[in-house]
Amino acid sequence: MRLKDKVAIITGAGSGQGKAAAKIFAREGAVVIIAEWNEVNGKQVEDEINAAGQEALFIQTDVSNENNIIALVDEVMKRYGKIDVLFNNAGVGFSSNSKYKMDRLTETPLQDWNQILSINLNGVYLLSKYVIPIMKKQNGGSIINNSSLNGIIGVPGADAYTASKGAVVALTRVMAVDYGKYNIRVNCICPGAIDTPMIAEVMNNEAFYSAFTSNPLRRVGKPEEIANAALFLASEESSYITGLIMPVDGGVAAQ
Ligand SMILES: NC(=O)c1ccc[n+]([C@@H]2O[C@H](COP(=O)([O-])OP(=O)(O)OC[C@H]3O[C@@H](n4cnc5c(N)ncnc54)[C@H](O)[C@@H]3O)[C@@H](O)[C@H]2O)c1
């Protein structure tokens, strides 16, 4: 019970890494708030966790919509009176059903560029903007941002995504510096290729698959392997760690 009695908001918890984190955090004793824009998936994760005798609440949320975030935070405070953990995980990437064009910048329409940044970057900003004042009053909290390997090394082909994830890395550092004095820790995970719906389609492409598995551990990661890193950063076990940019990538960043 490493998160006993903690209240944790996880964005994008209807799928992939966020869903894995929701289940693991709930199993470790947290009340989990599933802040997800996909109603079917969000509700399903809520049901699965509650059916296992743990506690979850789905609140339909678009992380790029400020009014949604205000309503989300208000609802959580009304019900639970505190927010201990924020896992800024929601994002759009190479998904087969992505509405946005993932390509080099010369091939990226401005509208898609703006949409990708408004979810992957502004979402982190907006959630943090409304959660930090609460954590300040509580004298503490843990924020975990889910960036990407693209945020720390040059991976060609999805430049708006890469720009958004690089910005999340920089934002993590400055948040850690700005809010450390309030005992708010801010850390960042940089996943390598993780087997979730986001990359399901490109996993079937031989060139992508061999690129994804040409890391020292010679395989793609599992969503639970990111969720366990997030659990460590959410829990008191990491109480002296802030500003950490943590690759969880099978060793790609070490090459
Ligand atoms: N899968 C990978 O290989 C990989 C690698 C590096 C980083 N990441 C990052 O990990 C995070 C989780 O991705 P995943 O792999 O679990 O993918 P996923 O597609 O399975 O899950 C992403 C979730 O975010 C939700 N979401 C997207 N936009 C949203 C919005 N505006 N508001 C609320 N929810 C929204 C989606 O509905 C989905 O449930 C993302 O930030 C992604 O960029 C993924």
Side-chain angles (χ1 to χ4, degrees):
M1 298 295 261
R2 290 151 75 188
L3 297 180
K4 193 170 175 358
D5 300 328
K6 302 280 188 199
V7 176
I9 296 178
I10 304 178
T11 67
S15 174
Q17 300 167 48
K19 177 179 174 174
K23 292 192 164 181
I24 288 175
F25 283 23
R27 196 186 67 205
E28 293 293 333
V31 172
V32 173
I33 315 303
I34 299 157
E36 163 67 58
W37 68 357
N38 183 315
E39 188 174 8
V40 174
N41 290 351
K43 191 88 192 72
Q44 191 179 327
V45 177
E46 176 191 53
D47 288 347
E48 285 173 25
I49 290 172
N50 290 330
Q54 294 138 10
E55 194 167 350
L57 175 70
F58 166 58
I59 301 178
Q60 191 171 22
T61 311
D62 173 357
V63 297
S64 66
N65 180 316
E66 187 168 19
N67 289 331
N68 278 200
I69 304 306
I70 293 169
L72 165 77
V73 170
D74 279 356
E75 181 66 20
V76 176
M77 289 306 286
K78 221 184 291 155
R79 286 195 189 223
Y80 302 106
K82 62 174 190 159
I83 300 169
D84 301 296
V85 175
L86 168 63
F87 184 18
N88 282 314
N89 163 77
V92 286
F94 283 105
S95 172
S96 49
N97 47 26
S98 174
K99 288 189 261 180
Y100 313 109
K101 191 146 191 244
M102 299 287 165
D103 211 332
R104 290 167 301 199
L105 71 87
T106 44
E107 325 306 323
T108 308
L110 179 60
Q111 207 182 346
D112 293 47
W113 177 277
N114 286 337
Q115 287 299 326
I116 294 162
L117 266 93
S118 83
I119 295 170
N120 292 2
L121 174 59
N122 296 7
V124 175
Y125 150 68
L126 282 173
L127 261 298
S128 305
K129 178 177 162 71
Y130 289 97
V131 167
I132 284 173
I134 291 162
M135 289 182 166
K136 252 167 103 171
K137 276 197 204 137
Q138 293 168 185
N139 196 31
S142 173
I143 299 177
I144 305 126
N145 297 328
N146 207 355
S147 174
S148 169
L149 254 192
N150 292 47
I152 49 175
I153 62 173
V155 181
D159 295 1
Y161 180 79
T162 293
S164 71
K165 294 300 188 179
V168 168
V169 168
L171 190 58
T172 300
R173 289 203 180 97
V174 78
M175 286 167 70
V177 171
D178 277 341
Y179 301 106
K181 59 177 170 292
Y182 305 110
N183 193 33
I184 299 171
R185 298 184 299 109
V186 189
N187 294 293
C188 179
I189 297 172
C190 293
I194 308 298
D195 189 6
T196 70
M198 182 174 284
I199 61 164
E201 190 182 39
V202 284
M203 284 268 279
N204 293 327
N205 173 310
E206 209 171 304
F208 273 107
Y209 186 78
S210 80
F212 288 164
T213 52
S214 69
N215 56 50
L217 294 184
R218 296 285 185 270
R219 63 174 178 85
V220 296
K222 301 180 199 121
E224 292 73 20
E225 292 176 310
I226 302 301
N228 280 323
L231 170 64
F232 168 67
L233 294 171
S235 76
E236 285 305 306
E237 289 158 24
S238 59
S239 53
Y240 199 50
I241 299 177
T242 194
L244 177 67
I245 310 303
M246 183 198 252
V248 183
D249 64 347
V252 178
Q255 287 174 314

